[in-house]
């Protein structure tokens, strides 16, 4: 849930507003060098976004690896403890994390 909150508060609004003119209409020509300045201003955000996506990737891989190990039928822990446990919250968290990544990709 924390990663979803970070994406919603830190990245979605900033990425959606990138390139939208602050003053004037979209029909006006942008002054020379304005695009370069905008890209320069967004580079720290893109670096932060890259770090965030790497963190999301690491969390997703970790969760899938743990579930794969846990749900191995030959694993003793599975047979003794987790055989009848439904890990719906884990699957929901993974789906929410993947939704964040897809939304970031779409923006």
């Amino acid at each position: 849930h924390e990663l979803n909150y970070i994406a919603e508060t830190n990245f979605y609004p900033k990425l959606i507003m990138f390139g939208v003119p602050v003053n004037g209409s979209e029909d006006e020509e942008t002054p020379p060098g304005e695009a370069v300045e905008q890209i320069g201003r967004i580079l720290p955000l893109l670096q932060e976004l890259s770090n965030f996506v790497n963190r999301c990737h690491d969390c997703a891989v970790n969760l899938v690896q743990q579930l794969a190990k846990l749900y191995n039928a030959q694993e003793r822990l599975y047979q003794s403890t987790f055989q009848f446990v439904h890990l719906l919250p884990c699957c929901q968290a993974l789906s929410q994390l993947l939704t964040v990544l897809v939304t970031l990709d779409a923006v």
Side-chain angles (χ1 to χ4, degrees):
H1 299 292
E2 178 185 342
L3 293 175
N4 189 26
Y5 177 77
I6 292 171
E8 287 177 353
T9 57
N10 292 353
F11 297 114
Y12 295 163
K14 294 175 185 175
L15 290 173
I16 288 172
M17 294 304 296
F18 177 70
V20 175
V22 178
N23 301 351
S25 67
E26 294 183 19
D27 297 336
E28 293 180 15
E29 259 186 60
T30 57
E34 178 67 28
V36 175
E37 286 182 27
Q38 285 183 355
I39 291 172
R41 284 192 297 263
I42 200 167
L43 281 177
L45 176 68
L46 293 178
Q47 179 62 51
E48 190 178 340
L49 178 64
S50 175
N51 295 340
F52 177 77
V53 169
N54 286 338
R55 181 176 173 198
C56 289
H57 175 267
D58 292 343
C59 288
V61 167
N62 187 5
L63 181 59
V64 169
Q65 287 175 344
Q66 287 184 30
L67 288 174
K69 179 68 175 169
L70 187 64
Y71 274 108
N72 184 356
Q74 297 168 346
E75 182 68 31
R76 285 189 172 179
L77 188 61
Y78 171 78
Q79 293 174 352
S80 65
T81 308
F82 290 101
Q83 187 173 5
F84 300 108
V85 173
H86 298 285
L87 298 175
L88 184 61
C90 292
C91 294
Q92 288 174 338
L94 181 61
S95 69
Q96 191 176 33
L97 181 61
L98 294 176
T99 301
V100 166
L101 291 173
V102 168
T103 304
L104 286 171
D105 187 46
V107 172

